[in-house]
Amino acid sequence: MTSSERELIIKTYFHMWVDRNFSSLDKIFSADIYYSECYGPEYFGLSEIYRWIDDMLEKQQVLAWEIKQFIHEKNTNTVVVEWYFKEQQNLNVNDFNGVLSLNFQLMVKLVLLKNLNQNQNTQLLIIRRDY
């Protein structure tokens, strides 16, 4: 998979949050996905991810999730993304910068995602697709 194809997958995921449309999420994430958020919650499987997303869509609107830059690590299938995130919950608007580390394996699907924001919270997302 080329760098451009990896970037497209990442952009697609980011845009899903802004557009509030996750209809193609199962094309990016495997059915047995593991997702761990920075503040502790863990989700096992795509069905749990969809329930979490539905819950987040009820209370949060992502106003922006913009990519500042991609850094492709040579010979590792890893992409690091620097980003800016802005969201609204109720009347509160929050924004912060962060860094995302993604690892692509097997048919070059997303396998590992680590998310760090300016408050040094971390997020871990593992996507495994077996072929």
Side-chain angles (χ1 to χ4, degrees):
M1 178 177 274
T2 67
S3 296
S4 296
E5 290 170 321
R6 290 180 184 146
E7 289 178 8
L8 181 60
I9 290 171
I10 298 164
K11 288 176 185 177
T12 299
Y13 179 67
F14 279 39
H15 286 295
M16 287 178 183
W17 283 99
V18 177
D19 296 340
R20 302 172 68 86
N21 180 351
F22 295 86
S23 60
S24 61
L25 188 66
D26 59 347
K27 293 178 184 174
I28 298 173
F29 295 171
S30 72
D32 62 349
I33 182 173
Y34 168 74
Y35 190 118
S36 175
E37 293 190 79
C38 58
Y39 54 94
E42 296 176 302
Y43 310 101
F44 299 91
L46 196 53
S47 60
E48 278 192 28
I49 296 292
Y50 275 118
R51 284 193 294 274
W52 167 67
I53 289 170
D54 288 343
D55 180 56
M56 292 305 294
L57 291 176
E58 286 184 23
K59 61 185 177 184
Q60 175 198 58
Q61 181 171 358
V62 176
L63 304 173
W65 200 1
E66 301 166 0
I67 295 169
K68 294 181 177 184
Q69 70 172 324
F70 290 102
I71 302 167
H72 297 270
E73 295 183 22
K74 291 184 179 185
N75 306 319
T76 67
N77 294 327
T78 298
V79 180
V80 176
V81 182
E82 182 183 359
W83 49 263
Y84 166 77
F85 184 84
K86 184 175 183 179
E87 55 100 23
Q88 181 174 350
Q89 292 192 40
N90 300 317
L91 299 175
N92 298 322
V93 175
N94 303 298
D95 67 334
F96 52 90
N97 295 298
V99 174
L100 184 67
S101 176
L102 305 101
N103 184 274
F104 294 80
Q105 291 181 2
L106 298 173
M107 297 297 288
V108 200
K109 293 288 181 176
L110 195 53
V111 175
L112 173 68
L113 183 146
K114 293 181 183 178
N115 204 349
L116 309 166
N117 73 32
Q118 70 183 22
N119 297 324
Q120 298 201 7
N121 292 327
T122 59
Q123 218 169 353
L124 173 65
L125 172 62
I126 299 174
I127 302 158
R128 200 182 96 226
R129 187 178 296 268
D130 296 319
Y131 292 92

